[in-house]
Amino acid sequence: MRAYLALCLLFLAITVKSQVPRPCGAPSAMEAKIIEVNHERQYEVRSRLSYDARNYRKRYVDEVFTTDDTREYFDVLYLHNVGIEYRFDLQTKKCESRKISKDQFFPIGIPENATFYGEANIGTKGFPGEGVLVQTWGGQSERGRYSGIWTVTGCLPVKEGYYSNQTGYISTEFYDITLGISDPNVFMPPKECSGV
């Protein structure tokens, strides 16, 4: 009888443990529109993002809004794989470059040590196909305290938020995501940056 009870408890423990959600893997290559807001530093950035996690590359074509209603426009290319960032000012046509490290590449996805906060629907559950099931995860990472929302199907980012004493709270929302990279040349530096 004790052996049967022990076997039942073991089976129950395995069943419960197998139902604990695990972080999904976000796409390694995608394009999206994003809105990033930092209230402490008083700016909002609207960008077109190209993202390649396998080769440690990101490109943002930015429109930066500040509280004094100024707008700035940048094309920023992060090539962590070769350790260079190019920042091209689309208004002045000036390009700057600086060294960056592979360690500064932060993947868009759920960190392995994340804590599962819950599941919810964006939209409605009342009609098939009218809502999106998402999961919320959070925790502590090398960037600071974070939380984020990802779709259950496809593990697409919906929203990420990070807080650190250096940056304050930065919130990023993702829209119009397409998988893959439509133009393989998107990770080439702008021609104005040659020789920089």
Side-chain angles (χ1 to χ4, degrees):
M1 182 68 170
R2 284 185 179 175
Y4 177 72
L5 183 59
L7 187 60
C8 287
L9 287 174
L10 178 64
F11 179 72
L12 181 63
I14 290 171
T15 302
V16 168
K17 183 152 178 75
S18 68
Q19 293 178 0
V20 173
R22 290 184 175 26
C24 58
S28 61
M30 66 180 161
E31 296 175 326
K33 293 177 184 170
I34 66 168
I35 296 177
E36 181 179 288
V37 177
N38 184 323
H39 293 289
E40 290 184 31
R41 294 193 180 176
Q42 300 181 338
Y43 72 81
E44 176 182 307
V45 179
R46 297 179 189 174
S47 300
R48 283 190 332 263
L49 165 68
S50 300
Y51 172 78
D52 176 13
R54 285 194 182 109
N55 295 302
Y56 301 94
R57 305 181 294 185
K58 293 180 186 179
R59 185 173 207 150
Y60 298 88
V61 179
D62 297 334
E63 182 177 14
V64 180
F65 298 85
T66 59
T67 55
D68 62 359
D69 288 334
T70 60
R71 291 185 185 184
E72 298 174 336
Y73 302 89
F74 295 97
D75 182 348
V76 186
L77 177 61
Y78 297 96
L79 300 174
H80 293 274
N81 56 340
V82 294
I84 299 175
E85 171 194 332
Y86 294 98
R87 182 174 297 270
F88 179 59
D89 187 317
L90 294 166
Q91 292 172 305
T92 66
K93 306 295 184 202
K94 292 184 181 175
C95 185
E96 298 175 0
S97 67
R98 69 180 183 105
K99 292 183 184 249
I100 57 175
S101 77
K102 198 181 231 184
D103 296 339
Q104 292 172 310
F105 181 85
F106 297 109
I108 297 171
I110 306 169
E112 285 298 317
N113 67 345
T115 300
F116 178 69
Y117 291 161
E119 231 173 47
N121 274 290
I122 297 176
T124 181
K125 294 191 313 185
F127 300 99
E130 295 296 317
V132 176
L133 185 60
V134 297
Q135 291 184 337
T136 304
W137 295 82
Q140 187 73 30
S141 76
E142 63 275 3
R143 289 172 70 181
R145 185 104 184 116
Y146 71 90
S147 65
I149 301 170
W150 288 267
T151 62
V152 170
T153 302
C155 200
L156 301 175
V158 176
K159 184 174 184 171
E160 287 184 323
Y162 284 89
Y163 177 83
S164 77
N165 291 333
Q166 296 168 332
T167 63
Y169 182 72
I170 298 174
S171 173
T172 306
E173 297 177 358
F174 298 81
Y175 304 92
D176 299 335
I177 297 171
T178 56
L179 299 180
I181 302 297
S182 61
D183 177 7
N185 293 321
V186 73
F187 296 111
M188 299 296 293
K191 64 179 188 257
E192 294 85 354
C193 294
S194 62
V196 180

